[in-house]
Amino acid sequence: MKISIKSILIISICVLSSITVFSQEKNADLPPEATEFYEPVPPKIEAGESITTPPSDAKILFDGSDLSAWINERNGAQPTWTIEGNILTINPGTGGIKTKENFGDMQLHLEWRAPIEIKGEGQGRGNSGVIIMENYEVQILDSYENETYTNGQAASIYKQSPPLVNATKAPGKWNTYDIIFTAPKFNEDGMLLKPAKLTVLHNGVVVQNNFELRGPTEYTRIPNYSKHAEKLPIHIQDHGNPVSFRNIWVRELE
Ligand code: MG
């Protein structure tokens, strides 16, 4: 068979252009549904009761008194979320809050409660989230008898890892999250050396077991790391629902 120079050129152009198309698509927006999975559904369990008080070496981020450890993530101002009877509630539409201080490797405890009055469904019901290092979201959602994609339900690592079980308590009841986080490591050139890792206990039950994150949380893209600071704020999301919080503390892990 005779292969002409012309045909070699045409083949080369085709191969090169397909490589270009592929590398462009890697970072292009996908329809949100492309990264949402519905099966298998994590089994529902009944978690035990847990009341937690912080250990003596914890840094208190919210103890019911004030939001002095936090700023509004949009404008840096004092947040206008509501505090009533030691409970903090999202003031929907005013923006998320983030810590003034930056954190890397950590043990983080927080308690959250979806509104008693059920409004909305799926992702629209009791949605918030704790976004570690402003990049890695552990989902907060009223996942009590509320179907949604499994990698977007409560205690999922949003759009990356569904929880091992669904330990969500009924609306109006308190949930605890105990999160152990290892920050990603990059070299000087920005290359990823070690991915971020997350272990999550939901109401005392392990739901994420040292999961290696594929990159920062994305809604419509494939996660992809890019170098960031060694420590960054903890962000609590305002997703438009009046989710409540109490007893937020962190221990830095060196
Ligand atoms: Mg969320």
Side-chain angles (χ1 to χ4, degrees):
M1 193 176 75
K2 241 178 144 186
I3 302 174
S4 68
I5 292 179
K6 196 178 161 193
S7 58
I8 289 172
L9 263 175
I10 289 169
I11 290 165
S12 314
I13 288 166
C14 286
V15 168
L16 277 174
S17 58
S18 67
I19 288 168
T20 314
V21 167
F22 178 75
S23 55
Q24 279 173 349
E25 276 180 354
K26 206 177 159 197
N27 287 318
D29 281 311
L30 303 165
E33 299 77 26
T35 49
E36 295 165 3
F37 301 93
Y38 285 80
E39 286 181 333
V41 175
K44 177 177 155 58
I45 63 148
E46 294 293 329
E49 295 301 321
S50 53
I51 299 171
T52 49
T53 48
S56 61
D57 63 348
K59 194 165 278 176
I60 308 300
L61 297 177
F62 178 71
D63 65 0
S65 51
D66 60 48
L67 279 174
S68 56
W70 303 82
I71 53 172
N72 182 295
E73 50 103 11
R74 288 183 192 159
N75 54 23
Q78 189 60 31
T80 56
W81 290 11
T82 313
I83 301 175
E84 259 179 32
N86 293 340
I87 295 166
L88 173 68
T89 301
I90 294 174
N91 188 359
T94 60
I97 60 172
K98 67 178 187 180
T99 53
K100 290 176 182 170
E101 203 173 324
N102 297 328
F103 300 96
D105 297 358
M106 72 182 86
Q107 173 187 357
L108 174 66
H109 174 92
L110 65 89
E111 296 169 30
W112 62 271
R113 184 181 71 178
I116 295 176
E117 191 188 345
I118 295 173
K119 276 189 185 169
E121 56 181 37
Q123 293 289 309
R125 185 171 137 188
N127 194 335
S128 177
V130 51
I131 307 170
I132 295 165
M133 297 193 90
E134 297 184 290
N135 273 289
Y136 311 102
E137 180 178 2
V138 178
Q139 174 70 307
I140 290 172
L141 191 76
D142 180 1
S143 283
Y144 188 84
E145 296 172 0
N146 178 33
E147 198 180 312
T148 187
Y149 41 97
T150 61
N151 59 348
Q153 71 180 64
S156 64
I157 296 168
Y158 188 70
K159 289 216 164 176
Q160 296 195 33
S161 175
L164 294 167
V165 294
N166 182 351
T168 313
K169 302 226 178 196
K173 293 196 169 174
W174 285 98
N175 289 270
T176 62
Y177 276 178
D178 288 282
I179 295 170
I180 298 125
F181 175 77
T182 307
K185 304 283 181 291
F186 301 91
N187 74 6
E188 282 181 3
D189 302 320
M191 204 176 85
L192 181 72
L193 298 176
K194 284 183 185 169
K197 287 183 189 172
L198 268 168
T199 293
V200 180
L201 282 78
H202 184 186
N203 294 322
V205 177
V206 175
V207 287
Q208 302 287 346
N209 186 6
N210 209 24
F211 179 79
E212 286 191 359
L213 281 82
R214 299 186 187 102
T217 300
E218 295 282 2
Y219 180 53
T220 58
R221 293 181 179 209
I222 304 297
N224 202 3
Y225 280 101
S226 52
K227 186 178 180 177
H228 55 63
E230 286 178 13
K231 295 184 178 187
L232 286 166
I234 299 163
H235 169 182
I236 300 180
Q237 188 183 44
D238 169 13
H239 202 282
N241 304 141
V243 176
S244 298
F245 298 89
R246 68 180 185 189
N247 200 16
I248 309 174
W249 51 262
V250 66
R251 294 178 65 251
E252 292 192 73
L253 306 174
E254 300 297 342

